[in-house]
Amino acid sequence: MGKGLYISKAVAVACVVAAIGVVATIIALSVVYAQEKSKNEVALSSTTSPSTSPSTSTSPSTSTSTSPSPTTPSTPKEPWQRYRLPDSLAPVSYNVTLWPRLEPNQAGLYIFSGHSAVVFTCVKETDLILIHSNMLNLTTLEGHHAKLTGLGGTTAPGLKETWLEAPTEYLVVRLNAPLQAGEKYELYTDFVGELADDLGGFYRSEYTVDGVKKIVATTQMQPTDARKAFPCFDEPAMKAVFHITLIHPQDTVALSNSMNHDPSNITMEGHDFLQTSFMPTEIMSTYLLAFVVSDFTFISSEPNASVLVRIWARKKAIEEGQGDYALEKTGPILSFFENYYNSSYPLSKSDQIALPDFSAGAMENWGLITYRETALLYNPGVSSNGDKEWVATVISHELAHMWFGNLVTTRWWNDLWLNEGFATYVSYLGANFAEPNWNMKDLIVLNQIVGVMAVDALASSHPLSSKEEDVQTPDQISELFDSITYSKGAAVLRMLSEFITEEVFSKGLSTYLEAFKYKNTVYTDLWKHLQMAVDRSNIKLPHSVEVIMNRWILQMGFPVVTINTKNGIITQKHFLLDPESVVDRPSTFKYEWFVPLTWIKTGGPEQQYWLLDREAANTNVTCGPDDWLVANIKMKGFYRVNYDLDNWERLLTKLSTGHLDIPEINRAQLIDDAFNLARARMVNTTLALRTTKYLNKELEYMPWETAERSLNYFFLMFDRSEVYGPMQDYLKKQVTPLFIHFQKLTDNWTKIPENHTDQYNQVNAISMACSTGVEGCKELTTGWFREWMNIPTKNNISPNLKYTVYCSAIAAGGVKEWDFAWSMFKNTTIATEADKLMAALSCTKQPWLLNRYLEYCLDPQKIRKQDATSTIISIASNSIGQPLAWDFVRAKWDHIFNDYGGGSFSFGGLISGLTRRFSTEFEYQQLLQFKKDNGGQLGSATTALEQALESTKANMNWVAMNKKQVLDWFVTESKPAV
């Protein structure tokens, strides 16, 4: 699944650069992993348990919360009290018919009805059938919730009792006699469910056309919501073939994973409908199922194309050409992956559909990929280059899954990191193939790696791979959809690909996919095939792939490697942002890693060395008084680097006198490492600040973006204190040359820079210039915005600059500007434009407007549920809005948790975004109280809350130690040169 990633990821990221990088970073870490999966208990849910009686109905239990560190639950007494299915039954095929109602019933509910027949094999003799069912009202058939039939001449035993076990989301069927091993049976159910707006299972999405409300019935099954659409064996390893039939209105079209047969007319309840059946799917997991009923239209590939590619969206969006870019790039990216995997695309078609309401960035349903509109649609006249990059990378991410994840699927969710980390990594390769001038192979460093290192440097982080027994409940599964899984997973796989070479890596992938197609695996299966590829090459490794990689995936964190260029001593230790934090998670590897160390010395050739112990010596890293050394070239390794003070001084001198001699990524890395080492008290904070002094000569995007994010921490800690003024003065002094550079490059802002990353850096220049008061900047942005206000039908603001201009003008203005932007937000039919306006509305300095906007966040008629948490985070990124948002969320937590989904992926990002400024004892106590008050309903925010407590304590210590020297440094450095 693609992060909603604002994902944040870092990619939404570049398209929406907030002043001092606040919004971009937060969106990258929160939305990028968002899935709004409601746990609200609807009236249609029927539950019974044997403790009452098979016919008694009770209400569902609340979601089970998870603990921040793995705990193995006590063994339940009965099989239906366990969250994992027994291994006694194996599904073969499903026949599912669903009829979604696109108009509400007399009770005002949107519902769907259906029936399902699952054929399964009895693997082990048993008198119990457990099959997942959640929030479905099952029709009683001959006194029971299901009907069992034997196949192939086998007689099915009679049903003893059936009930719905709400806590574990099972339909329980107890039999009078055991099923026979080796025989096949069919279980039939008839059911009704709510077509709710909860963004999970079979749900509804809404949009308007000329004031008329339109309903779309669509799905999001991952990870555990197929059971909300029909009873099924809802685990990744329970693969089967699916025969889907949809009944839908005459003026709509039905889509599913496979190609449809010609629709037929059918009369239901006195009305005419269409019935569309689909060809059998390939053998696949339940979480990859998808079906959509809508009045959308499409554009498609040429008739003679080897794979039918169709881009589906609202009719107006297709008519405006918003799907053209996706269609143009899907074919080439598919071809790239066919070559990369040395494997043909497994299906005959690739449908991609843009949905008005969708929780994540996208979902890799096999043959029918679902997207947020912003992740698939691109309008050249309105959308920015960041929007375009987001579309390319998300499409690439999802298409990568068609093989890795869909054709071959990990056995259980504890290996989710392999599925999502891999797709995240190779999405940059696919996007690089589609857009070779974008420098995508380098941008992964900014978009994925830099951000996740901050998370993984906490003592409350977690390993990439968990034990199977520690991931049981839906909430525990949902918690895994985080930045560690996606971004660290991508980083360590990129590191592996680098040290065994990309060619060997892809050869290993090819044999892995061939060996396990249509099957399930564990991560060690991939290591074995990569090792086979290494053995057939000339690559020499100090240990096997598995032995090397186990240290990166089975223990959390990463090392800081310290290189002493005086004596050649190289050491490593577990890097923690807060050196006083206590690591209570044991590691069999004692937090040591096998580190592929690379470096260049005084501009010479790249060298490599394996650091295999806590300390080693290598004379090749020694330097004379005129030499300098920089390590971890292009940040290919997932580690930080520290140096002896003399080498740091030589590097600072080189940055000031000849920064182009150091590769661009490593200039960014020096800044990022220095600031993080300073937070960890390994170097002086003023040394980190000194890495920014050369920036008045820097024109490239990656160092500036890294510096902006690094200084953002200082703004978060000090924008409410006396440090803020001198800090603003210093940044103004540094950014002014960059602002002037882009003013000249764009012929006084009338042209767009040609280079992809220059376009990003132009946004940085204007954003920072306006926020720090560079002369002429605010007048420029407010002038552009005023022109738009005067003629609302004509927006001449450059798409790349829209968010920055909107934010700057709304911050400088009042209710008139805010209400105008709100009106434009409500009226736009272009999702990327709506996203920019939605984020910019949080930039106002008026507390009453921010409070009103917070209330809007919980009104789905104003802010879609998929956008609620990211909008609250945007408001919290505003120094004025942060305490308002924190108070609001605390007061409304019950409502937010129950109506917006305590198990959703976005809840962790919400807590992180709200607490990023916390740096006082008072705020720490507030967090503890929040934990105490809501301990029973934190859901997927449980780990994030522990991380927030740890981060707040670290912030308190850092501010106490650094405030005075930081103030003194900024005061000194902000003075004009004499």
Side-chain angles (χ1 to χ4, degrees):
M1 179 167 18
K3 301 182 274 183
L5 28 223
Y6 54 351
I7 68 245
S8 267
K9 178 188 342 343
V11 172
V13 337
C15 70
V16 224
V17 182
I20 316 304
V22 176
V23 172
T25 304
I26 291 177
I27 292 182
L29 291 177
S30 65
V31 178
V32 198
Y33 310 107
Q35 183 196 25
E36 301 279 0
K37 189 163 62 71
S38 175
K39 293 292 179 184
N40 55 333
E41 298 148 3
V42 299
L44 290 167
S45 298
S46 170
T47 62
T48 62
S49 72
S51 61
T52 54
S53 73
S55 60
T56 303
S57 177
T58 61
S59 62
S61 67
T62 55
S63 302
T64 304
S65 63
T66 59
S67 61
S69 57
T71 56
T72 304
S74 57
T75 304
K77 295 179 181 178
E78 304 292 351
W80 53 82
Q81 295 173 329
R82 300 172 190 153
Y83 283 92
R84 293 296 303 276
L85 288 165
D87 59 359
S88 51
L89 307 177
V92 176
S93 64
Y94 294 80
N95 242 302
V96 182
T97 297
L98 295 166
W99 177 21
R101 315 302 204 275
L102 303 190
E103 294 183 0
N105 62 15
Q106 291 181 342
L109 289 176
Y110 290 86
I111 66 167
F112 64 91
S113 58
H115 53 82
S116 171
V118 54
V119 174
F120 61 87
T121 300
C122 177
V123 180
K124 296 178 181 178
E125 185 177 285
T126 180
D127 61 358
L128 178 68
I129 299 172
L130 296 181
I131 188 168
H132 288 108
S133 179
N134 184 30
M135 303 176 83
L136 295 174
N137 190 13
L138 297 179
T139 304
T140 301
L141 304 168
E142 300 176 2
H144 296 289
H145 294 88
K147 183 179 179 181
L148 183 67
T149 307
L151 301 179
T154 301
T155 301
L159 276 57
K160 182 177 180 181
E161 60 177 340
T162 63
W163 71 88
L164 288 157
E165 184 70 16
T168 46
E169 301 177 350
Y170 285 134
L171 164 61
V172 183
V173 181
R174 298 184 73 178
L175 306 172
N176 290 319
L179 302 170
Q180 299 304 305
E183 299 298 331
K184 287 186 171 61
Y185 302 86
E186 180 182 270
L187 187 73
Y188 176 88
T189 52
D190 200 302
F191 48 87
V192 176
E194 184 183 3
L195 195 69
D197 62 350
D198 59 2
L199 308 178
F202 199 15
Y203 73 93
R204 80 177 186 275
S205 174
E206 300 179 0
Y207 68 102
T208 58
V209 177
D210 298 327
V212 177
K213 183 161 73 172
K214 301 280 188 175
I215 303 295
V216 177
T218 186
T219 55
Q220 171 57 37
M221 305 305 197
Q222 192 186 42
T224 58
D225 278 341
R227 64 193 69 172
K228 287 176 64 180
F230 61 97
C232 55
F233 297 97
D234 200 10
E235 292 188 358
M238 294 289 190
K239 290 190 170 186
V241 173
F242 296 84
H243 305 259
I244 302 296
T245 298
L246 296 172
I247 298 169
H248 53 102
Q250 295 268 351
D251 58 349
T252 60
V253 63
L255 300 172
S256 191
N257 302 79
S258 49
M259 282 299 293
N260 60 283
H261 299 289
D262 290 337
S264 59
N265 293 307
I266 186 174
T267 300
M268 303 288 289
E269 298 178 354
H271 297 280
D272 293 334
F273 289 87
L274 293 177
Q275 178 172 285
T276 302
S277 295
F278 298 86
M279 295 176 184
T281 67
E282 299 290 345
I283 299 170
M284 57 185 279
S285 303
T286 50
Y287 80 86
L288 295 169
L289 275 173
F291 21 90
V292 181
V293 172
S294 71
D295 69 347
F296 288 2
T297 189
F298 68 94
I299 51 175
S300 67
S301 54
E302 296 299 323
N304 58 353
S306 58
V307 176
L308 173 65
V309 175
R310 296 185 295 190
I311 308 298
W312 295 82
R314 293 175 290 107
K315 290 176 181 176
K316 185 172 183 181
I318 293 296
E319 290 166 1
E320 292 176 346
Q322 295 183 44
D324 293 356
Y325 180 72
L327 181 64
E328 176 190 338
K329 296 303 176 184
T330 295
I333 293 173
L334 271 177
S335 296
F336 167 80
F337 284 122
E338 286 185 317
N339 292 327
Y340 186 70
Y341 296 130
N342 191 27
S343 174
S344 298
Y345 177 66
L347 308 178
S348 63
K349 62 108 170 172
S350 176
D351 278 326
Q352 303 187 81
I353 186 166
L355 298 166
D357 297 281
F358 191 71
S359 55
M363 178 62 212
E364 65 268 18
N365 314 301
W366 215 6
L368 176 56
I369 305 173
T370 45
Y371 293 81
R372 275 195 185 203
E373 290 192 336
T374 51
L376 188 66
L377 304 182
Y378 172 75
N379 186 320
V382 178
S383 305
S384 67
N385 69 320
D387 298 328
K388 194 174 188 179
E389 182 187 309
W390 181 233
V391 170
T393 51
V394 176
I395 290 175
S396 186
H397 180 111
E398 305 313 323
L399 293 180
H401 275 309
M402 298 301 105
W403 291 263
F404 202 99
N406 297 9
L407 181 65
V408 178
T409 311
T410 50
R411 186 174 70 195
W412 184 241
W413 298 107
N414 62 308
D415 280 336
L416 177 70
W417 73 271
L418 185 59
N419 190 22
E420 296 297 351
F422 177 85
T424 300
Y425 165 52
V426 299
S427 70
Y428 285 82
L429 306 184
N432 186 70
F433 179 81
E435 296 286 2
N437 298 321
W438 282 4
N439 202 28
M440 292 302 296
K441 287 187 176 181
D442 290 347
L443 285 177
I444 190 175
V445 173
L446 275 183
N447 294 350
Q448 304 294 337
I449 298 172
V450 168
V452 77
M453 292 185 97
V455 178
D456 204 29
L458 299 175
S460 52
S461 186
H462 63 84
L464 275 170
S465 188
S466 308
K467 294 179 180 178
E468 226 177 300
E469 60 267 26
D470 291 334
V471 182
Q472 298 282 316
T473 70
D475 277 347
Q476 288 171 334
I477 294 167
S478 290
E479 274 200 289
L480 293 176
F481 287 79
D482 66 358
S483 58
I484 297 292
T485 291
Y486 282 78
S487 300
K488 182 182 179 179
V492 299
L493 289 170
R494 171 179 178 261
M495 177 175 67
L496 169 60
S497 178
E498 290 284 354
F499 69 70
I500 68 173
T501 75
E502 192 175 302
E503 180 183 1
V504 172
F505 188 75
S506 66
K507 286 179 178 177
L509 288 174
S510 178
T511 61
Y512 167 82
L513 292 170
E514 180 61 29
F516 296 104
K517 60 186 177 183
Y518 305 110
K519 299 176 184 176
N520 293 84
T521 61
V522 293
Y523 72 88
T524 52
D525 292 322
L526 177 61
W527 294 164
K528 290 171 185 173
H529 280 264
L530 291 175
Q531 186 64 50
M532 288 161 51
V534 168
D535 292 343
R536 288 192 294 266
S537 72
N538 294 319
I539 305 296
K540 303 298 180 186
L541 298 177
H543 296 288
S544 69
V545 169
E546 180 173 353
V547 169
I548 293 170
M549 294 307 294
N550 278 349
R551 295 182 176 235
W552 295 95
I553 68 166
L554 298 180
Q555 61 183 351
M556 69 178 186
F558 57 88
V560 52
V561 175
T562 299
I563 300 174
N564 189 321
T565 61
K566 296 178 181 177
N567 57 21
I569 299 296
I570 307 171
T571 61
Q572 63 162 299
K573 74 172 184 176
H574 184 192
F575 179 75
L576 294 167
L577 271 180
D578 180 4
E580 294 180 3
S581 58
V582 177
V583 177
D584 54 13
R585 186 189 293 270
S587 168
T588 55
F589 307 109
K590 300 178 181 178
Y591 291 102
E592 291 182 30
W593 290 263
F594 296 144
V595 184
L597 186 63
T598 57
W599 69 87
I600 58 173
K601 188 160 59 174
T602 319
E606 180 178 329
Q607 300 182 61
Q608 181 171 335
Y609 171 76
W610 279 95
L611 178 61
L612 303 176
D613 298 296
R614 193 173 290 272
E615 181 176 311
N618 187 325
T619 56
N620 290 328
V621 299
T622 56
C623 291
D626 298 323
D627 291 327
W628 51 268
L629 179 144
V630 63
N632 197 11
I633 303 308
K634 290 201 166 187
M635 285 190 74
K636 291 181 286 191
F638 194 69
Y639 55 89
R640 295 204 180 279
V641 186
N642 192 13
Y643 308 94
D644 59 284
L645 192 56
D646 286 350
N647 192 63
W648 271 117
E649 291 295 339
R650 293 191 292 268
L651 286 169
L652 290 171
T653 299
K654 172 52 62 176
L655 286 174
S656 296
T657 59
H659 65 276
L660 295 178
D661 292 341
I662 301 174
E664 181 185 348
I665 293 182
N666 288 100
R667 301 201 298 273
Q669 174 222 4
L670 285 171
I671 296 169
D672 188 59
D673 277 350
F675 274 89
N676 281 277
L677 291 167
R679 285 182 64 182
R681 304 178 210 168
M682 297 184 71
V683 301
N684 195 287
T685 300
T686 55
L687 185 148
L689 289 168
R690 287 170 63 200
T691 63
T692 70
K693 289 186 67 174
Y694 93 99
L695 286 174
N696 54 17
K697 305 181 188 73
E698 179 66 82
L699 300 177
E700 298 301 329
Y701 168 65
M702 294 185 73
W704 263 110
E705 178 67 15
T706 305
E708 185 183 46
R709 295 184 193 179
S710 298
L711 287 169
N712 180 48
Y713 179 72
F714 285 67
F715 279 90
L716 290 171
M717 294 301 99
F718 296 130
D719 65 3
R720 297 169 289 176
S721 76
E722 68 273 24
V723 180
Y724 183 69
M727 187 162 55
Q728 285 281 80
D729 291 342
Y730 171 74
L731 192 55
K732 175 182 177 180
K733 175 181 165 185
Q734 294 302 89
V735 80
T736 296
L738 188 69
F739 181 75
I740 294 170
H741 164 75
F742 279 106
Q743 186 176 24
K744 292 177 180 177
L745 185 67
T746 61
D747 197 6
N748 201 29
W749 316 110
T750 60
K751 298 177 182 176
I752 298 173
E754 291 182 10
N755 186 281
H756 184 64
T757 52
D758 278 349
Q759 292 180 45
Y760 286 160
N761 216 24
Q762 180 194 17
V763 177
N764 276 342
I766 294 177
S767 174
M768 287 185 284
C770 285
S771 65
T772 57
V774 171
E775 185 177 350
C777 185
K778 191 170 292 186
E779 293 77 10
L780 184 72
T781 57
T782 54
W784 284 335
F785 193 79
R786 195 178 305 112
E787 288 176 9
W788 185 31
M789 289 180 68
N790 291 336
I791 311 176
T793 56
K794 188 178 182 182
N795 186 345
N796 291 324
I797 302 167
S798 167
N800 292 342
L801 304 179
K802 280 184 172 181
Y803 170 76
T804 298
V805 171
Y806 296 169
C807 182
S808 178
I810 290 169
V815 65
K816 184 178 178 182
E817 286 76 11
W818 200 97
D819 284 348
F820 171 78
W822 175 257
S823 174
M824 295 296 101
F825 164 70
K826 293 303 292 181
N827 290 324
T828 185
T829 59
I830 299 169
T832 54
E833 178 72 357
D835 268 16
K836 293 178 180 65
L837 286 162
M838 185 167 55
L841 286 163
S842 66
C843 297
T844 179
K845 304 299 183 185
Q846 304 289 326
W848 74 274
L849 287 173
L850 291 168
N851 272 323
R852 185 175 74 175
Y853 198 23
L854 284 165
E855 294 291 343
Y856 287 2
C857 289
L858 298 189
D859 180 352
Q861 300 304 311
K862 292 185 170 69
I863 298 292
R864 292 183 183 274
K865 279 192 172 185
Q866 67 177 22
D867 299 317
T869 53
S870 61
T871 304
I872 294 171
I873 290 167
S874 291
I875 294 169
S877 72
N878 181 332
S879 59
I880 296 169
Q882 189 275 324
L884 305 177
W886 173 234
D887 290 346
F888 178 80
V889 167
R890 285 188 296 164
K892 305 279 189 179
W893 185 257
D894 283 349
H895 172 60
I896 294 171
F897 184 86
N898 290 313
D899 283 16
Y900 283 71
S904 77
F905 307 150
S906 60
F907 267 51
L910 178 61
I911 295 298
S912 301
L914 285 168
T915 59
R916 283 163 56 82
R917 276 188 173 80
F918 281 17
S919 58
T920 66
E921 179 64 31
F922 179 71
E923 289 164 330
Y924 185 77
Q925 292 301 323
Q926 283 187 319
L927 263 179
L928 286 175
Q929 188 63 44
F930 180 75
K931 178 182 177 181
K932 180 181 177 182
D933 293 344
N934 300 285
Q937 52 176 19
L938 289 170
S940 61
T942 304
T943 297
L945 184 59
E946 295 302 320
Q947 292 172 340
L949 284 163
E950 182 184 350
S951 294
T952 301
K953 184 65 75 172
N955 292 343
M956 291 163 58
N957 294 335
W958 187 86
V959 169
M961 293 182 63
N962 289 283
K963 185 175 180 180
K964 185 180 185 305
Q965 64 171 327
V966 168
L967 175 61
D968 291 345
W969 192 88
F970 278 125
V971 167
T972 300
E973 294 298 329
S974 60
K975 292 176 181 176
V978 178

